[in-house]
Amino acid sequence: MMKSAIVWLGVTLAAHAVVIDSGALNNTAPMGQPYFGNVGVLNGASAIYLSNQWVMTASHVAGSLPASVSFGGTSYATQAGSWQQISNSGLEPGLTAFADIVLFRLATSPGLPTLTLRTTAPAVGNNVMMIGNGKVQEAGLTYWTVNTAPDPDVWNEVTLPTPFDREGFKTTAANQVRWGTNEVAIADETVNAGAGDTKSFITTYNTTGASNEAQGVLGDSGGAVLFDTGSGWELAGMMHAIGTFDGQPSPTTAVSGNETYHANLSAYASQVNAIVATVPETSSSMLVGMAMLMCLTRRLR
């Protein structure tokens, strides 16, 4: 069976969180990780606080400038006129004009630490920490047999000791920001899940891997992928999509062998850093225009 789909981790379906192979909660900051609180909640998915009141998320999560975003349970209004979508200009021929990455600015500071973007591309084998918002996985593994004769494949749940073909986690109704770890399996890939070509790196989920091995699921779009340089943490990526198997009951499951696609922020760091250094001006006409746009967006959803 081959991976058959690239799926948004955003707002088109119910939201889920980083799934951990050990079943651990991982809903508080691990020791030595000062940026757990920099991941917030937006439209049932995730957003990252950078600095200077600027926030990053996936464009398919935000849709347009949101009215507010929540960090640590506190809601912060956004600044009109601050919406910025990240461009693929200058990267390579044939890419869509924009990547699945947007920035916008909060009207007030949330008092969170400054998060530095990594400017060096990830390498295969690099360890990363993934932090995203959403539902919590079930406590135990689920097992499936897979019939590959039909198209798509047909998955059926079984209980041990019945032989099985695939294993993974389903999710519950609980929703929270959680963390997990993985390592880079593919360092350079262009991924488009429907919201624009995005330079990405990939992690692969293994239920028999390290005790905190993580897989992204719905709601993790816009979540942070952090790299420990040895002298501090840098933001290396932003989760935006997953790769699933043919016929997989997904994206409500995390199955061993699934992939998580992370925007490679080293490719976009110069653009993002230039935006974060600015303070956009607002005007009454701009405020009215943004309000009209938001109303139109709500009607179309």
Side-chain angles (χ1 to χ4, degrees):
M1 291 179 296
M2 299 297 291
K3 295 177 186 67
S4 65
I6 298 175
V7 184
W8 276 351
L9 302 184
V11 298
T12 53
L13 294 170
H16 300 68
V18 169
V19 163
I20 317 300
D21 72 321
S22 65
L25 287 177
N26 288 12
N27 59 354
T28 58
M31 185 173 294
Q33 176 48 267
Y35 301 111
F36 185 81
N38 283 52
V39 176
V41 178
L42 174 62
N43 289 339
S46 308
I48 310 164
Y49 180 76
L50 301 176
S51 65
N52 193 25
Q53 298 171 213
W54 284 96
V55 173
M56 172 188 289
T57 190
S59 61
H60 74 264
V61 168
S64 60
L65 180 69
S68 63
V69 60
S70 175
F71 291 96
T74 300
S75 183
Y76 296 89
T78 60
Q79 182 176 340
S82 63
W83 175 266
Q84 300 275 353
Q85 188 162 9
I86 298 303
S87 168
N88 282 317
S89 177
L91 291 182
E92 63 184 62
L95 297 181
T96 57
F98 295 100
D100 189 12
I101 309 170
V102 295
L103 275 70
F104 56 87
R105 195 169 188 266
L106 303 180
T108 58
S109 173
L112 293 168
T114 293
L115 188 50
T116 301
L117 265 66
R118 185 158 178 78
T119 57
T120 303
V124 172
N126 281 170
N127 291 311
V128 293
M129 178 174 291
M130 300 155 57
I131 307 174
N133 168 66
K135 294 181 182 177
V136 180
Q137 72 214 53
E138 292 184 347
L141 284 164
T142 296
Y143 303 90
W144 293 271
T145 58
V146 182
N147 183 349
T148 61
D151 185 15
D153 296 351
V154 175
W155 293 48
N156 295 297
E157 287 186 33
V158 296
T159 56
L160 299 179
T162 302
F164 63 92
D165 299 307
R166 294 287 178 188
E167 64 179 14
F169 287 93
K170 296 192 293 185
T171 56
T172 71
N175 190 308
Q176 58 188 195
V177 176
R178 307 174 73 221
W179 66 270
T181 60
N182 210 320
E183 65 177 37
V184 176
I186 298 175
D188 185 14
E189 190 83 10
T190 299
V191 176
N192 189 337
D197 292 331
T198 305
K199 299 298 292 181
S200 302
F201 59 91
I202 301 172
T203 56
T204 302
Y205 183 52
N206 182 357
T207 53
T208 60
S211 61
N212 291 309
E213 178 136 336
Q215 166 65 21
V217 279
L218 281 171
D220 282 326
S221 268
V225 187
L226 299 166
F227 176 80
D228 187 357
T229 66
S231 58
W233 292 89
E234 294 178 341
L235 184 65
M238 181 197 74
M239 291 181 275
H240 68 99
I242 57 173
T244 63
F245 290 104
D246 187 40
Q248 178 180 329
S250 157
T252 58
T253 56
V255 175
S256 189
N258 283 170
E259 296 174 334
T260 307
Y261 304 122
H262 316 274
N264 176 9
L265 296 180
S266 69
Y268 303 103
S270 59
Q271 275 187 79
V272 173
N273 287 335
I275 292 170
V276 168
T278 66
V279 178
E281 295 181 359
T282 60
S283 67
S284 58
S285 60
M286 189 176 295
L287 288 169
V288 171
M290 293 307 297
M292 290 175 64
L293 177 59
M294 290 181 67
C295 288
L296 177 60
T297 302
R298 290 193 186 100
R299 285 197 294 269
L300 291 175
R301 280 180 179 170

